[in-house]
Amino acid sequence: MKAVSIKILKDELKYKSSEELLELCLRLSRFKKENKELLTYLLFESQNEDRYIETIKLEVDQMFEEINTKSFFYIRKSVRKILTSIKKQIRYSKKKSTEVELLLYFCLKLKQFKPSISRSPRLQKVFETQMRMAKKAMYTLHEDLQYDYTILIEEIEN
């Protein structure tokens, strides 16, 4: 079966009652973990973005503590897993300030990580790419926020 476009789905959903929409949402949440996570964000977390960011930061802290440091292969694998999780949370939020905050926090944790990422060119590249993405997203924000994040970026890079 081929999926139809968003416009067609939107037009069709207009004709559904609230009971039918509720049932459709619940069915969607049963099929994929990501659907359930997105619905959880939209219903419970989206009203308090700061608490949402803090929750993600705590999860990132825990994931960094669980990294197997026996070799850089395992470190890279774990770092990619953490980054994938962060990117998914950013997609749920769709807010540039959340994106900048979480990417900079990831970069800070990666920079502070022991053993140092400077001994791994691949991890160094991941760090540089995420810093570049955070800077790019930062430039779309208000000037005051840009200034605050610029200070944070300078601290991370030094």
Side-chain angles (χ1 to χ4, degrees):
M1 177 173 80
K2 188 172 187 269
V4 295
S5 70
I6 296 291
K7 183 184 179 336
I8 295 172
L9 288 174
K10 183 179 174 184
D11 291 342
E12 191 63 32
L13 288 172
K14 287 179 184 176
Y15 302 113
K16 300 291 183 187
S17 70
S18 60
E19 285 294 319
E20 291 172 316
L21 288 174
L22 176 65
E23 185 60 34
L24 286 171
C25 285
L26 291 175
R27 279 191 70 191
L28 267 177
S29 69
R30 286 189 200 117
F31 281 101
K32 264 198 162 193
K33 183 181 174 191
E34 286 185 3
N35 291 342
K36 192 182 295 185
E37 289 172 348
L38 176 59
L39 201 54
T40 301
Y41 168 76
L42 293 172
L43 292 174
F44 303 110
E45 305 286 347
S46 62
Q47 293 83 13
N48 190 345
E49 195 73 17
D50 291 334
R51 189 180 74 204
Y52 176 66
I53 291 171
E54 288 305 314
T55 303
I56 295 169
K57 285 181 177 181
L58 290 173
E59 290 174 10
V60 169
D61 287 343
Q62 183 178 1
M63 287 190 270
F64 265 101
E65 289 173 9
E66 294 171 356
I67 290 178
N68 182 349
T69 58
K70 292 195 184 299
S71 77
F72 277 106
F73 170 78
Y74 294 122
I75 295 171
R76 280 194 313 271
K77 192 172 179 173
S78 298
V79 165
R80 296 299 306 163
K81 183 178 178 184
I82 294 168
L83 188 57
T84 301
S85 173
I86 289 174
K87 296 285 187 166
K88 183 172 55 171
Q89 304 297 336
I90 290 171
R91 266 197 341 263
Y92 293 160
S93 173
K94 289 188 176 179
K95 294 183 180 173
K96 289 293 182 182
S97 60
T98 301
E99 179 180 359
V100 173
E101 184 89 20
L102 292 176
L103 288 177
L104 288 178
Y105 189 73
F106 170 79
C107 290
L108 178 67
K109 294 298 288 185
L110 194 57
K111 188 78 168 188
Q112 294 171 344
F113 188 73
K114 301 290 183 218
S116 175
I117 64 165
S118 62
R119 294 185 10 222
S120 170
R122 288 183 180 171
L123 285 174
Q124 192 66 36
K125 183 76 172 168
V126 168
F127 173 79
E128 291 166 2
T129 303
Q130 298 314 309
M131 286 296 288
R132 192 169 47 250
M133 291 179 73
K135 289 176 187 175
K136 183 178 177 184
M138 179 191 71
Y139 291 123
T140 63
L141 299 174
H142 188 271
E143 292 173 1
D144 293 339
L145 286 173
Q146 284 185 24
Y147 178 75
D148 293 341
Y149 287 129
T150 302
I151 292 171
L152 184 57
I153 287 172
E154 289 172 359
E155 288 177 13
I156 292 172
E157 289 179 336
N158 293 332

